[in-house]
């Protein structure tokens, strides 16, 4: 009995440590990226995304091939182009839109808009794939949509281009999640293997547009910035941190339940909003903060409803209710999330 108690306590401590290191990497990546755009005046989101892809690809190769900390999931060469490449394309768009939005709008607003992902996922699956959803799923989306609307209307640093990029990023995340169900069927990818296969393709897709659209600007920035090498160290460090975030997600997946991950994920957004405000001091009105809080509570409620439904036996004649841990997670906190 005492031994079981000790094991339980150690399990709780391990879960808390995993969540804390996940929070640390996640918030640090967001803050460093915003710092790069705002403080270093490196206003090139495509180039930043490309650096993240390169660092993630190298990091995944070292973890799997050199250190052998994770076994490689073998993928047929034909499936790499038919399945992995389309997913990588959507993955790439997802990351780029996130960095573009971060370039133009505050972290607090961007993180709140990202919480709209459950709604876009449900609507897309209903409209395009004609997927059935319980009425409680639809009801759980009401506070998310209401909170987003309140936050958008009261945002004091509103930028239409950044807002549209964040919204399109939600659609890209939803598309990626939905496509993964069909394109990656039969492959049980973890976060590290996902990065191992998708990051090289994403780099290949993005490197030419980044050079054509931002190459001259990057060269001019290098010539005019007072401390270019120090700034470059920070930029590449953000890529290393982004890979470490993917690695930390792997441990959170295996150390927490779906409900714990749901709550921790939404608290992580609140922590990111608070830390970003303390550093950048972007103006936040009272109603804006209320809208953000309503959205996060709505996301937590949505994840809870999905978890409850996943525990119920499927109703005959309706599509299968998601039953696995991965499926029952709130999609705004997608475990293979856009976190390069």
């Amino acid at each position: 009995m005492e031994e079981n108690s000790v094991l339980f306590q150690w399990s709780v401590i391990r879960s808390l440590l995993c969540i804390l290191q996940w929070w640390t990497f996640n918030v640090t990546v967001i803050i460093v990226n915003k710092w790069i755009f705002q403080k270093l005046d490196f206003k090139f989101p495509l180039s930043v995304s490309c650096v993240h892809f390169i660092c993630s690809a190298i990091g995944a190769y070292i973890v799997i091939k050199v250190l052998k900390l994770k076994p490689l999931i073998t993928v047929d060469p034909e499936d790499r182009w038919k399945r992995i490449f389309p997913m990588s394309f959507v993955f790439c768009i997802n990351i780029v839109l996130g960095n573009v939005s971060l370039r133009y709008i505050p972290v607090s607003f961007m993180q709140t808009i990202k919480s709209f992902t459950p709604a876009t996922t449900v609507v897309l699956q209903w409209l395009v794939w004609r997927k059935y959803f319980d009425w409680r799923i639809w009801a759980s989306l009401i506070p998310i949509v209401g909170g987003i609307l309140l936050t958008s209307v009261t945002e004091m640093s509103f930028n239409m281009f950044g807002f549209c990029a964040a919204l399109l990023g939600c659609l890209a995340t939803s598309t990626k999640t939905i496509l993964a169900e069909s394109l990656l069927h039969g492959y049980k990818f973890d976060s590290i293997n996902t990065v191992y296969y998708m990051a090289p393709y994403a780099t290949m897709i993005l490197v030419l547009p980044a050079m054509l659209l931002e190459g001259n600007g990057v060269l001019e920035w290098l010539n005019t910035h007072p401390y270019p090498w120090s700034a470059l160290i920070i930029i590449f460090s953000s890529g290393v941190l982004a890979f470490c975030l993917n690695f930390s997600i792997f441990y959170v997946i295996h150390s927490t339940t779906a409900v714990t991950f749901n709550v921790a994920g939404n608290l992580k957004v609140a922590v990111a909003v608070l830390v970003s405000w303390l550093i950048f001091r972007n103006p936040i009105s009272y109603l804006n903060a209320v809208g953000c809080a309503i959205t996060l509570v709505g996301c937590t409620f949505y994840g809870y409803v999905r978890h409850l439904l996943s525990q119920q036996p499927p109703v005959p004649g309706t599509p299968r209710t998601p039953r696995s841990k991965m499926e029952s997670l709130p999609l705004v906190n997608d475990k293979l999330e856009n976190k390069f």
Side-chain angles (χ1 to χ4, degrees):
M1 191 71 178
E2 184 178 346
E3 184 179 350
N4 290 335
S5 177
V6 172
L7 290 175
F8 176 76
Q9 290 177 357
W10 167 243
S11 177
V12 171
I13 293 172
R14 186 181 65 176
S15 297
L16 288 174
L17 290 175
C18 288
I19 290 172
L20 285 175
Q21 54 92 25
W22 174 48
W23 279 8
T24 301
F25 282 122
N26 191 286
V27 174
T28 304
V29 168
I30 293 170
I31 297 302
V32 170
N33 284 352
K34 186 63 177 178
W35 185 277
I36 289 169
F37 294 133
Q38 186 169 320
K39 300 297 184 180
L40 299 184
D41 203 35
F42 189 84
K43 303 184 184 302
F44 308 106
L46 298 185
S47 300
V48 170
S49 301
C50 209
V51 168
H52 286 191
F53 289 144
I54 293 170
C55 292
S56 295
I58 295 173
Y61 180 86
I62 292 174
V63 167
I64 292 176
K65 290 290 191 177
V66 180
L67 301 178
K68 300 186 184 300
L69 297 178
K70 276 292 297 175
L72 176 66
I73 296 175
T74 305
V75 178
D76 295 335
E78 185 178 355
D79 284 344
R80 294 188 185 189
W81 288 103
K82 287 186 176 180
R83 298 189 182 192
I84 303 297
F85 185 79
M87 280 295 300
S88 301
F89 183 77
V90 179
F91 207 22
C92 179
I93 293 174
N94 188 21
I95 302 301
V96 169
L97 287 172
N99 281 329
V100 169
S101 65
L102 197 58
R103 156 78 173 80
Y104 290 98
I105 59 178
V107 171
S108 56
F109 191 32
M110 186 270 281
Q111 288 285 292
T112 306
I113 297 298
K114 277 174 61 66
S115 301
F116 195 55
T117 304
T120 57
T121 303
V122 170
V123 170
L124 274 178
Q125 289 183 314
W126 178 66
L127 286 176
V128 181
W129 282 269
R130 300 297 179 185
K131 186 173 182 179
Y132 165 82
F133 287 99
D134 189 275
W135 68 269
R136 285 167 288 185
I137 290 288
W138 293 103
S140 68
L141 297 178
I142 294 175
I144 298 177
V145 176
I148 294 291
L149 288 175
L150 180 59
T151 304
S152 302
V153 170
T154 58
E155 175 57 46
M156 301 177 70
S157 303
F158 186 86
N159 179 282
M160 180 57 72
F161 187 75
F163 172 75
C164 291
L167 207 56
L168 289 173
C170 291
L171 290 173
T173 302
S174 301
T175 303
K176 173 175 68 72
T177 304
I178 295 169
L179 287 178
E181 294 180 6
S182 57
L183 291 179
L184 300 184
H185 178 70
Y187 291 106
K188 295 184 178 180
F189 280 111
D190 53 63
S191 57
I192 305 301
N193 274 276
T194 300
V195 172
Y196 178 85
Y197 281 107
M198 293 189 184
Y201 282 128
T203 304
M204 182 177 64
I205 293 167
L206 189 59
V207 65
L208 186 58
M211 290 174 62
L212 292 175
L213 297 175
E214 298 180 348
N216 291 333
V218 171
L219 291 175
E220 183 180 349
W221 176 86
L222 286 170
N223 291 326
T224 57
H225 195 278
Y227 307 104
W229 294 110
S230 300
L232 285 174
I233 290 174
I234 295 175
I235 293 170
F236 278 92
S237 296
S238 73
V240 175
L241 288 169
F243 169 73
C244 291
L245 173 58
N246 280 281
F247 204 68
S248 70
I249 290 173
F250 166 74
Y251 286 106
V252 174
I253 290 173
H254 294 280
S255 301
T256 62
T257 63
V259 174
T260 302
F261 189 90
N262 173 37
V263 175
N266 291 303
L267 287 175
K268 174 206 69 179
V269 175
V271 172
V273 170
L274 177 61
V275 173
S276 70
W277 179 79
L278 291 173
I279 293 175
F280 299 106
R281 294 291 178 174
N282 56 288
I284 299 178
S285 66
Y286 172 74
L287 288 177
N288 191 257
V290 170
C292 181
I294 292 173
T295 303
L296 295 181
V297 171
C299 288
T300 305
F301 180 58
Y302 166 82
Y304 178 70
V305 169
R306 281 182 63 93
H307 176 71
L308 285 182
L309 294 177
S310 72
Q311 306 304 309
Q312 297 178 0
V315 180
T318 61
R320 181 180 65 87
T321 302
R323 299 196 62 80
S324 70
K325 183 177 174 182
M326 286 295 291
E327 291 177 284
S328 64
L329 286 175
L331 294 172
V332 68
N333 295 319
D334 182 9
K335 286 185 175 180
L336 302 183
E337 199 178 82
N338 41 333
K339 291 297 179 188
F340 277 135

